[in-house]
Amino acid sequence: MKINILGCYAATPRSFTNPTSQVLEIQNNHFLIDCGEGTQVQLRRNKIKFSKIKHIFISHLHGDHFYGLVGLVSTFRLLNRESELHIYGPKGIKEIITLQLKLANSWTNFPLIFHELTSKEPELIYENSKVSVSTIPLKHRVYTNGFLFKEKEGDRKLLIDKAETYNIDFSLFKSLKKGKDVVSEDGKLIANHLVTADPLPPKSYAYCSDTMFDTDIVPLIKNATVLYHESTFLEDKADLALPTKHSTAKQAATIAKLAEVQKLILGHYSTRYPNIELFRTEASTIFPEIILADDGKEIIVE
């Protein structure tokens, strides 16, 4: 699992920082999560192929999370894209994007499919044979969702030397990987556990930006491999977090601790702070496994 941070700062873009956007690589899927201004430039800068992106997830309709979307869609058109592009986001996202395309007479030459979200309860919005994506309802100033990306349990690991010892024909290896018992060439029933090992534990990634401190999300992200949680402010500006419905680094760490996640990525920093290491310092008093997001950072989870 790999997380490519394209942008992770709040509000407006600057010459050296970008608003929110990420690419999650999981089980050969490349999911674009949020699409602030400059996303397509950051995709090029980080050498991520546009053609690999088939699903885009927009958390909410504040500009620093989707103002780069129509530009990216238009570029796909100029690149003669033919494959479908699916966009998941709050109701209204279709009207916003299609109006701009209509007035610019720039309809796409590829299928552009919108999945508008309205539910305030968690819901499964995408799945294939390897991964599922569900919403995480968040509390912000407008309708907002986080997203939980979960690997499905993989095939069992075949122990080739054991299979040969038990005289199992090659044609039965696929059945063994699926957890089935098989009959050896000499007619003996071989229990699956004798010749296979458990698959690696499925990984999961919980993306939560933007949101106020809200313990209601804890059961939804329990034991996630990695949690990305916004930390717009430090505690010195906690008085701003509540009315703007954002979180502090300390509050993000508290959520990580309660949810017993393995690692916490902090991001969505207010640009008022000169050094993002301040966020690590504050959060580490609550939760030790901290990663600081930064533009262009690649986070690999083994």
Side-chain angles (χ1 to χ4, degrees):
M1 184 168 74
K2 182 162 68 175
I3 303 141
N4 297 274
I5 307 294
L6 305 180
C8 62
Y9 289 80
T12 59
R14 298 182 293 173
S15 59
F16 53 94
T17 64
N18 293 276
T20 302
S21 186
Q22 304 181 5
V23 172
L24 172 66
E25 298 181 34
I26 182 171
Q27 292 291 343
N28 294 319
N29 295 278
H30 288 66
F31 296 130
L32 179 64
I33 312 171
D34 277 336
C35 191
E37 289 178 72
T39 291
Q40 60 179 309
V41 174
Q42 286 293 90
L43 286 169
R44 293 188 187 281
R45 191 169 283 154
N46 289 276
K47 296 180 170 59
I48 298 169
K49 291 184 177 179
F50 285 25
S51 59
K52 290 188 175 181
I53 296 171
K54 297 179 172 60
H55 301 272
I56 300 176
F57 298 86
I58 302 298
S59 61
H60 64 296
L61 297 182
H62 279 163
D64 56 334
H65 292 259
F66 85 100
Y67 277 172
L69 183 56
V70 72
L72 181 60
V73 169
S74 298
T75 294
F76 282 148
R77 172 179 175 270
L78 294 173
L79 295 175
N80 297 313
R81 181 189 181 106
E82 296 181 354
S83 60
E84 293 181 350
L85 180 65
H86 293 261
I87 297 174
Y88 307 78
K91 184 174 178 58
I93 188 71
K94 179 178 180 179
E95 180 182 359
I96 292 169
I97 299 303
T98 55
L99 178 61
Q100 293 177 86
L101 297 176
K102 175 184 176 182
L103 294 179
N105 193 23
S106 298
W107 293 113
T108 64
N109 49 0
F110 58 88
L112 182 59
I113 302 166
F114 291 91
H115 305 263
E116 293 196 307
L117 308 175
T118 57
S119 176
K120 295 185 179 180
E121 299 296 326
E123 61 177 335
L124 177 69
I125 57 174
Y126 174 74
E127 70 174 329
N128 59 28
S129 61
K130 297 292 184 68
V131 67
S132 67
V133 186
S134 300
T135 58
I136 305 168
L138 301 176
K139 292 179 181 175
H140 192 43
R141 300 192 307 278
V142 296
Y143 175 76
T144 305
N145 285 301
F147 303 102
L148 178 64
F149 302 84
K150 295 177 67 175
E151 290 180 336
K152 295 183 178 180
E153 188 169 282
D155 291 344
R156 294 186 64 76
K157 182 180 179 182
L158 180 64
L159 306 175
I160 297 292
D161 55 336
K162 296 289 187 182
E164 291 175 348
T165 299
Y166 283 99
N167 201 22
I168 298 173
D169 187 81
F170 173 81
S171 64
L172 298 174
F173 284 3
K174 186 173 182 179
S175 294
L176 287 171
K177 290 179 180 179
K178 296 299 181 184
K180 297 177 181 178
D181 298 336
V182 299
V183 177
S184 67
E185 290 188 2
D186 48 7
K188 295 179 180 177
L189 182 65
I190 308 300
N192 187 274
H193 72 273
L194 296 175
V195 290
T196 67
D198 291 339
L200 292 172
K203 297 182 183 69
S204 58
Y205 180 55
Y207 173 88
C208 297
S209 181
D210 298 6
T211 183
M212 64 186 293
F213 177 68
D214 177 22
T215 57
D216 287 349
I217 70 173
V218 169
L220 305 179
I221 63 175
K222 195 76 172 178
N223 301 127
T225 310
V226 180
L227 165 65
Y228 175 90
H229 196 290
E230 76 125 284
S231 53
T232 305
F233 300 108
L234 297 175
E235 284 296 307
D236 68 333
K237 298 294 182 185
D239 60 317
L240 295 180
L242 188 58
T244 59
K245 294 195 174 179
H246 283 296
S247 299
T248 68
K250 187 174 181 181
Q251 289 171 338
T254 301
I255 293 293
K257 182 177 181 180
L258 291 172
E260 299 179 275
V261 304
Q262 293 180 26
K263 296 181 185 298
L264 169 64
I265 302 174
L266 297 177
H268 201 265
Y269 318 111
S270 167
T271 53
R272 61 171 38 83
Y273 297 103
N275 183 359
I276 62 173
E277 281 294 332
L278 296 169
F279 291 83
R280 187 201 306 274
T281 300
E282 180 171 291
S284 341
T285 62
I286 304 292
F287 186 82
E289 295 297 323
I290 302 291
I291 299 171
L292 294 179
D294 206 356
D295 294 4
K297 189 167 189 172
E298 184 180 274
I299 300 164
I300 298 175
V301 183
E302 301 291 348

